[in-house]
Structure formats: C-alpha cells, structure tokens
Amino acid sequence: MLFLIASLFTLGRSQSPECVYRVGYSPLELNLESLRGNRYVYHSADNSEWMYSPCMNAYPCSHDGVTVQAMVDHSPVGVNECFPWAQFNATTQPFWDFGLATWIFNYSNGEPCPNNSQLNRTTQILWTCEPEDATPRFVDSYSYNECNVLIEMKWSGACQAPPPPNDECYFKSGLIGGPSMNLSTVKGDIFSLQETSQNGNTFTYEFSPCANSITCDSANSGHSKQVMADIRDSGKQCAKFLGVWSGDAVPFYDRTIFGQDYWDFFWMDGEECGEGGPLEVLNARYYCNPSIPTLNITRAYGNGPCQFRIEIDSNLACKNASDSDKKASNTINRLNQRIFT
C-alpha cells in the first residue's frame, strides 16, 4: 500500500533558515531562530526536571555509559543520570492547529524505548499562542507512558491571525495558481469504515467532511456532542470522538514519491486522552483516486498515543482532475499494485 512509503512534508521551507517554519506558501510562520540554543527547564510534580533547547542539541546527556547531545532530556528524581528524549532534526516539521492556536512537533528519535513497545522514545512539543508571554514559558510536561511525552511551551511569537471560516469547503495550496480541492459535494455526508481488532472485536470509524454531522453520545463523559469524527464500538455506541470541525482547518498539498496527489489535514481537538491528558489528534489524508467520485475510507487506525489517522481515496483530491491526470494516476495505481501485491 502506498501509505507505507508516502513521504510527508508538512511545511514549505523555500530557502528559509532551518529554525523558521511556514505552512506552505501562506503567511503562517513560527520563527524560533532567536531562541536557538536557549535553555528551558520544567520541574514536574515528581521533582524531576525536563529540559528543552529549541533547534539545538544543547544538553550533553549520559545514560548507560553513553553520552549524546540532546535537545530534550529528562532527569528523574533520585537518578544520577539523564535520559535523552529528542535530538534536533532540521527535517522535522510541525503542523499548525488553528483551533488550539498551537504549532505541534513530533520527534521520534529519542533513546530506545525500554519496554520495546516502540522503537524509540517519542516527544511531542507544543508551541501554543499566549499573547501575554513575550518570553517563552515551559508550562507543562505530560507522560503518556515511559516512552511517550508531551511538553508545552507558551509564547506570543507562536500566535497567528485566524483565517476566515471556510464555509465553502474549498481548499487551495499556495497563493496563486496552486492546486485546489473542493469538498463541497460531500460536505456533511457521513462516511465510515468497519475494522476488527486483534481480539476479534469490531469497531467503526466515522468521518463527516467540513461538518459536525455525527452525534456522539459519549460513553466516557455521558454527554452528547456534534462532532466531525468518532469511533463506535460493536453496539454502535460512540466510544470517543476524534475531532470537531470549526471551519479553520488549513490542509497542505503534496505528492508521493510515485507522483500521487494527497492532502493532509490535522486536528487536535478530539476527546480528552485519559484523565488530565491532552486532546486526541486526528490526521485525515486524502489520496487522489480518479475511480472514486465521492469518498472512500480505505484505512483508519491509531498511529501513536492519542493519535489517529483516517486515509481516504477520492477523485476530489486529484489536482485538476483532467483526463491526462487520470491516465497518469491509473498508471501509478497499476505500478503500486505490482509493487505491493
């Protein structure tokens, strides 16, 4: 399947310094150059320390006799060692969530995960807009488990002007002449995919483009909420909601290494992930498929702690769905079938 090797480029760099991040060719920008190498420390409730240095591996961290330079490290109480959780990588790009006014980075290059549940320790770094904070503040750390942590910075430099509500469900990449995607014909429709867990239980993912058409009578909170996406158990009870449409989503467009068009949306406004935890993150990716006139959910799954992805095939995701594009995409699909079957 193509998603296994599809390359993901969240933001356009276009000759920018490696610590300046932009959403495509839009004016949305997070500039951390002035903060490069600064050191921020958070003292957690268990008296341990989390340390973060933006855009630089500023911390020499020794663990199990090995010393590495780390961008994020952790020193637990009573342990005369530190644990390297993340190293700076200029190719790691954030995405911008308008609903939370937050830039979100995902680094999965920490030291090996000790319980072997995943390859490396993973750090999610949030830069949240806070107009009153002229100087960045390290405000929180939340450990999902021993291999995954979320840390949050607040700073006025992370703030962006909100876009106008997208009532038309029409999206463009770039400022002039870029590709576009029009989902107005499927706006508010509900699409679903039934999956089966390893223990044989069935559950269903539901997704409603550009609308909160799904009623989630939450089994967790006991409240009823109109949402854009949810997961339902075998009895069709809403187990949790994954995202809420607010009209301010800004997707980005790219092409896979085989030339297939795709569009990526991110939301971080799902149900609370565990008591006191962050909100669920949803990534919806639309792949160009000229043979699907509406939408077809091909795969849905959890791709990390509190993170989900829904993959969709649609002709609507094709850049200028002309006959020539359709022929090219059909050739790509045949090539993919030969490679992955």
Side-chain angles (χ1 to χ4, degrees):
M1 292 294 289
L2 190 56
F3 55 78
L4 291 175
I5 57 174
S7 59
L8 172 61
F9 297 96
T10 311
L11 306 172
R13 298 196 62 83
S14 62
Q15 307 302 315
S16 298
E18 64 180 5
C19 214
V20 177
Y21 305 96
R22 294 191 178 94
V23 178
Y25 297 98
S26 77
L28 300 176
E29 178 181 284
L30 176 66
N31 189 339
L32 300 181
E33 278 293 326
S34 64
L35 308 179
R36 180 192 292 270
N38 289 0
R39 300 187 178 203
Y40 302 95
V41 179
Y42 180 77
H43 299 276
S44 60
D46 60 2
N47 295 320
S48 63
E49 289 185 338
W50 287 92
M51 290 161 281
Y52 169 44
S53 180
C55 304
M56 183 176 290
N57 297 319
Y59 298 103
C61 182
S62 297
H63 185 215
D64 292 338
V66 177
T67 299
V68 300
Q69 293 296 125
M71 178 182 67
V72 176
D73 77 8
H74 179 219
S75 297
V77 61
V79 178
N80 191 27
E81 284 185 308
C82 68
F83 297 83
W85 274 76
Q87 292 182 299
F88 177 62
N89 184 337
T91 65
T92 299
Q93 303 295 300
F95 66 89
W96 166 251
D97 187 297
F98 272 108
L100 296 177
T102 299
W103 297 84
I104 303 167
F105 293 82
N106 286 288
Y107 289 90
S108 56
N109 59 2
E111 68 176 357
C113 174
N115 63 17
N116 297 317
S117 61
Q118 60 195 52
L119 185 61
N120 298 318
R121 282 181 156 148
T122 297
T123 304
Q124 190 174 72
I125 302 175
L126 276 57
W127 281 88
T128 299
C129 166
E130 178 47 72
E132 301 300 319
D133 285 331
T135 300
R137 285 191 302 126
F138 195 155
V139 298
D140 197 13
S141 70
Y142 177 82
S143 297
Y144 301 108
N145 50 46
E146 63 178 324
C147 292
N148 295 275
V149 69
L150 178 150
I151 65 178
E152 183 177 15
M153 305 290 296
K154 288 191 174 182
W155 182 40
S156 60
C159 299
Q160 309 291 322
N166 190 342
D167 295 327
E168 293 78 18
C169 207
Y170 177 77
F171 308 94
K172 291 194 67 175
S173 176
L175 298 179
I176 301 175
S180 62
M181 180 172 66
N182 188 344
L183 299 178
S184 60
T185 57
V186 293
K187 176 181 177 181
D189 293 346
I190 298 176
F191 301 88
S192 63
L193 176 69
Q194 187 175 93
E195 298 278 28
T196 303
S197 65
Q198 294 181 346
N199 58 13
N201 294 328
T202 60
F203 53 96
T204 302
Y205 286 84
E206 294 185 325
F207 181 68
S208 178
C210 303
N212 295 313
S213 298
I214 300 167
T215 302
C216 176
D217 296 315
S218 175
N220 295 325
S221 67
H223 300 301
S224 180
K225 186 177 182 66
Q226 293 300 123
V227 301
M228 175 184 62
D230 72 356
I231 302 176
R232 295 183 178 259
D233 59 25
S234 57
K236 302 303 181 182
Q237 170 72 38
C238 179
K240 67 169 62 176
F241 68 88
L242 304 180
V244 178
W245 176 256
S246 59
D248 52 16
V250 178
F252 68 90
Y253 163 85
D254 208 338
R255 296 172 75 89
T256 68
I257 59 175
F258 291 112
Q260 185 181 25
D261 304 315
Y262 71 87
W263 297 77
D264 257 333
F265 291 81
F266 289 89
W267 292 273
M268 194 175 179
D269 58 1
E271 195 160 338
E272 188 177 79
C273 180
E275 185 175 355
L279 302 181
E280 302 283 2
V281 177
L282 175 63
N283 167 212
R285 176 174 288 192
Y286 292 77
Y287 285 107
C288 167
N289 186 336
S291 65
I292 307 296
T294 57
L295 304 184
N296 179 42
I297 299 178
T298 59
R299 194 177 181 216
Y301 54 97
N303 62 339
C306 307
Q307 300 179 50
F308 291 86
R309 172 181 279 187
I310 294 176
E311 298 183 357
I312 301 165
D313 277 6
S314 177
N315 176 59
L316 303 174
C318 299
K319 175 186 176 183
N320 304 324
S322 64
D323 291 339
S324 60
D325 288 327
K326 292 179 181 180
K327 291 177 181 178
S329 187
N330 286 335
T331 301
I332 291 167
N333 289 337
R334 288 195 297 271
L335 177 61
N336 292 339
Q337 291 173 358
R338 293 178 183 176
I339 293 175
F340 295 107
T341 57

